[in-house]
Amino acid sequence: MSHLNSSKPLIEFRNIVKSYKNILVLNNVSFSLNQGDIFGYIGPNGAGKSTTIKIMVGLIRDFSGTLLINGKNIKSSYLELFKNLGYHPQEAGFHRWKTVYQALRTFGKLSKLENRFLDSRIVEVLEFVNLKEVMNRKIIHLSGGMLQKLRLAQALLGEPEILVLDEPLTGLDPASRYQIKNLIKKLANSGKTILFSSHILSDVQDIATKIGILNLGNLVKIGSPSELQSEYHIGNRIQIEFDNDIDILDQLQNLNYIEQSENKSANVIVVSLKVEADLDESIHDLLQYLIENKYKLRRFNLLTPSLEDVYLKLVQGENNEF
Amino acid sequence: MSFKILFLDELKGFYKSKIMIILWIGMPTLSILMHYLIPSTEGFPVSSLVAILISYISGMLSSAMISTSIANEKNNHVYDLFLIRPVKRYNILLSKFCAVYLCLIIATVISLAMGLIIDILTIGVPSQYFLEETFKSLTISFSSMAISCSIGTFFGVSISSIAAAAILSVYVGSQVSAIATLPVLFIESLNSVLIALLVAIPLTFTFLIISIVLFSKKQF
């Protein structure tokens, strides 16, 4: 997109508010994305993720606030902006009587892609999503994973610079999830700006360079995965597995760098270190203490705080637990 | 431009659909069967009977077909992928309406041609009077079908349940489309073709416009 203004954010949500019949779905949502960002939009079901996405792709036009894409207000530039947007809907269906090729050809024509390049472009996107071998198969005969790839293929057809993917990994078997995840990573590496929603936190953590956490229509936090983890530092935790059943919690509580310890099973405990405790020093001291007291260790693992911890803290207000 | 793409697309989809296969094959077959099943038509042309029958059956089928198709595609989010492209919403509905209507017209013409062939083979070339009557019946059939299709479009857009959309469109479609034929049954002096057209055109347009307005306001 040669006309992109690199000094300004590519996408800007400014105080977006959306209600359905007096139910507030989005409450003053504001965030911005730069070119090349991979924005993971997470939140529980009904948080407003799909609504945000539908506003962005023009399926919902009745909202208040301002949405700028490359500095242009989406409300007045829908037709122009459509060209640079690829949308992978959560559950879009296709005309099931069509073949994969026929469906993509219709979308290509509707997107006003040049007829002479359309066939080669269809083959190109089908090769990218590994669907070329089924291009003449009827859509009714495609598996769930193939349908998800077809949704991605139609989003890529017009070579958009911005990709909006609504729950692209939901409902897929592990092999398909792995494939789609790799495709998203490949797209990200090619410089596309990607906004994708998910409620599978590990997926977001794997792919996103920026994360927004939405809860009950409010964007409660936005930042890079590492920023969120360090800002919401929950304290490192260590899981210790002993050779035999053990009762050690009271003794551990006396160590000044330990915040809390709990039994996960008769021979496994999880120790939460204090936030201010030095990690290396604490591990060293703890190991020394256990060895000096002749405890027989089977396993000693450091549990790094994950996005899930941050998410739970923000969305559910609950203490994390493994 | 998008109308043409969508219309050709819908046409491809409909002409291969199960309901259309019934119309393509079933209705002409009915023309032939009628000659053997009802031999006592006593000189009354098969083509006229076929035209009347088609008006009734096609009207019902068309309204059910279009309403279930729209409701189904709406529920399955088929339109989402059209609406994120430079496609006017009214083109989606109009292309579907026109495709179904054109398929019905073709099915009717084929059936009627079969009836005429049977007439020619059995009672000879039909008289001018019977041809005129057949033409009138055909015009009334097309008028009723247009009303039924527009009512099917309306229920497809406004109702999410596929079964409810089908039942309502068949029931209301057959009731309302009868308005095109009723006046001439009671007042013989009326021009049946003119009345059918005068009733069908505004009714069809009204239902289509309401459908388009509702569809434009719909949140996808």
Side-chain angles (χ1 to χ4, degrees):
Chain A
M1 196 153 49
S2 56
H3 58 281
L4 278 176
N5 186 341
S6 57
S7 64
K8 285 184 180 174
L10 180 59
I11 301 163
E12 268 189 278
F13 280 76
R14 288 186 190 163
N15 307 315
I16 302 289
V17 178
K18 172 69 190 164
S19 304
Y20 290 113
K21 294 173 184 170
N22 298 327
I23 298 168
L24 194 60
V25 181
L26 289 178
N27 183 20
N28 269 318
V29 170
S30 298
F31 64 91
S32 60
L33 302 180
N34 295 317
Q35 192 177 8
D37 277 347
I38 307 158
F39 184 70
Y41 203 38
I42 59 174
N45 288 335
K49 301 187 297 288
S50 290
T51 304
T52 315
I53 282 176
K54 283 181 177 181
I55 286 174
M56 191 170 165
V57 298
L59 283 176
I60 295 175
R61 300 185 183 187
D62 172 25
F63 63 93
S64 59
T66 309
L67 171 55
L68 302 173
I69 296 183
N70 197 31
K72 288 181 181 161
N73 193 328
I74 196 166
K75 281 187 177 170
S76 54
S77 319
Y78 276 116
L79 287 180
E80 188 189 337
L81 296 171
F82 272 139
K83 291 177 195 164
N84 283 321
L85 261 174
Y87 172 50
H88 172 298
Q90 190 178 347
E91 49 184 352
F94 297 92
H95 283 138
R96 289 152 66 91
W97 52 267
K98 281 183 188 167
T99 63
V100 168
Y101 168 79
Q102 286 169 337
L104 289 179
R105 200 166 164 77
T106 301
F107 292 130
K109 283 188 198 166
L110 289 174
S111 298
K112 301 190 193 314
L113 299 183
E114 276 192 60
N115 217 15
R116 60 196 167 122
F117 300 127
L118 188 52
D119 281 347
S120 58
R121 182 63 191 152
I122 289 172
V123 172
E124 211 175 302
V125 292
L126 287 176
E127 270 173 357
F128 182 79
V129 300
N130 297 319
L131 274 187
K132 195 180 168 221
E133 69 277 15
V134 296
M135 71 186 281
N136 292 316
R137 192 182 290 181
K138 283 194 175 175
I139 289 171
I140 196 167
H141 298 129
L142 296 185
S143 67
M146 286 173 172
L147 275 175
Q148 205 74 315
K149 285 180 186 172
L150 181 57
R151 288 184 190 119
L152 189 58
Q154 65 75 33
L156 297 172
L157 208 52
E159 296 186 73
E161 289 304 312
I162 301 169
L163 276 169
V164 184
L165 315 173
D166 195 359
E167 305 267 4
L169 301 163
T170 301
L172 295 178
D173 60 72
S176 302
R177 284 168 48 74
Y178 177 76
Q179 284 181 350
I180 301 266
K181 237 159 114 171
N182 277 346
L183 290 175
I184 297 173
K185 282 179 187 168
K186 252 165 98 177
L187 288 166
N189 290 336
S190 69
K192 307 263 186 220
T193 304
I194 301 174
L195 184 152
F196 77 102
S197 71
S198 179
H199 56 263
I200 305 164
L201 300 173
S202 58
D203 293 338
V204 179
Q205 198 164 9
D206 275 2
I207 306 171
T209 56
K210 205 180 225 182
I211 289 166
I213 300 177
L214 193 72
N215 190 32
L216 300 171
N218 296 293
L219 189 62
V220 287
K221 201 69 205 172
I222 187 163
S224 70
S226 56
E227 276 170 2
L228 290 179
Q229 278 170 16
S230 61
E231 187 178 340
Y232 285 83
H233 189 63
I234 295 160
N236 289 301
R237 285 170 301 168
I238 297 163
Q239 182 167 295
I240 309 164
E241 189 178 337
F242 297 90
D243 261 356
N244 39 14
D245 295 357
I246 200 150
D247 181 13
I248 192 179
L249 296 185
D250 288 343
Q251 291 97 301
L252 289 177
Q253 213 54 55
N254 294 328
L255 302 173
N256 60 3
Y257 48 86
I258 289 178
E259 177 75 44
Q260 190 189 341
S261 53
E262 58 179 321
N263 272 104
K264 297 308 279 184
S265 64
N267 68 329
V268 178
I269 62 163
V270 170
V271 173
S272 298
L273 301 178
K274 286 185 176 162
V275 173
E276 63 275 14
D278 181 90
L279 179 63
D280 293 333
E281 216 171 282
S282 305
I283 289 175
H284 176 266
D285 288 355
L286 183 58
L287 272 173
Q288 200 169 17
Y289 172 82
L290 294 170
I291 292 164
E292 277 173 4
N293 288 284
K294 298 194 172 24
Y295 289 108
K296 289 182 181 172
L297 303 181
R298 189 179 289 169
R299 208 167 286 159
F300 188 93
N301 292 333
L302 176 65
L303 305 174
T304 314
S306 70
L307 189 60
E308 192 166 350
D309 299 307
V310 178
Y311 177 81
L312 288 172
K313 200 162 189 180
L314 281 166
V315 173
Q316 296 179 350
E318 289 174 8
N319 286 330
N320 49 18
E321 54 179 42
F322 284 91
Chain B
M1 179 65 182
S2 63
F3 173 81
K4 189 182 160 194
I5 298 165
L6 291 168
F7 172 69
L8 292 175
D9 222 41
E10 292 289 350
L11 212 53
K12 276 183 208 161
F14 275 120
Y15 91 82
K16 285 189 219 164
S17 69
K18 284 174 190 162
I19 292 181
M20 282 316 297
I21 288 169
I22 294 171
L23 288 178
W24 292 128
I25 301 165
M27 298 307 277
T29 310
L30 199 65
S31 302
I32 301 165
L33 286 176
M34 275 187 68
H35 172 69
Y36 296 102
L37 293 175
I38 317 168
S40 58
T41 49
E42 293 178 1
F44 192 77
V46 171
S47 49
S48 291
L49 281 174
V50 167
I52 294 163
L53 196 71
I54 284 172
S55 129
Y56 186 70
I57 297 173
S58 307
M60 282 199 307
L61 281 176
S62 62
S63 58
M65 196 161 81
I66 203 162
S67 63
T68 52
S69 168
I70 293 172
N72 184 37
E73 289 178 357
K74 207 175 59 184
N75 294 344
N76 288 321
H77 300 270
V78 172
Y79 299 133
D80 291 17
L81 293 178
F82 291 148
L83 295 173
I84 55 155
R85 297 184 158 84
V87 174
K88 301 276 185 210
R89 290 192 177 201
Y90 59 80
N91 278 336
I92 294 175
L93 286 188
L94 288 180
S95 60
K96 195 173 283 288
F97 172 86
C98 293
V100 174
Y101 193 48
L102 182 64
C103 283
L104 288 170
I105 287 175
I106 295 170
T108 308
V109 170
I110 293 172
S111 307
L112 205 72
M114 294 296 292
L116 276 171
I117 291 167
I118 293 166
D119 284 338
I120 292 167
L121 292 175
T122 53
I123 56 174
V125 178
S127 66
Q128 185 69 22
Y129 169 75
F130 280 129
L131 283 175
E132 278 174 14
E133 286 304 307
T134 304
F135 171 74
K136 279 183 189 172
S137 304
L138 200 61
T139 314
I140 294 167
S141 299
F142 289 161
S143 303
S144 299
M145 281 189 258
I147 296 171
S148 297
C149 281
S150 66
I151 287 171
T153 309
F154 170 75
F155 282 116
V157 168
S158 52
I159 293 175
S160 295
S161 157
I162 295 171
I167 292 165
L168 278 170
S169 56
V170 167
Y171 178 72
V172 179
S174 60
Q175 299 295 313
V176 177
S177 61
I179 297 172
T181 52
L182 280 179
V184 287
L185 292 179
F186 300 107
I187 311 165
E188 280 187 15
S189 59
L190 286 177
N191 182 330
S192 56
V193 172
L194 192 66
I195 293 293
L197 292 175
L198 281 175
V199 172
I201 292 170
L203 265 180
T204 303
F205 274 95
T206 306
F207 277 109
L208 279 180
I209 288 166
I210 295 170
S211 306
I212 286 167
V213 171
L214 289 175
F215 195 64
S216 302
K217 288 183 176 175
K218 202 137 205 86
Q219 198 97 76
F220 287 91

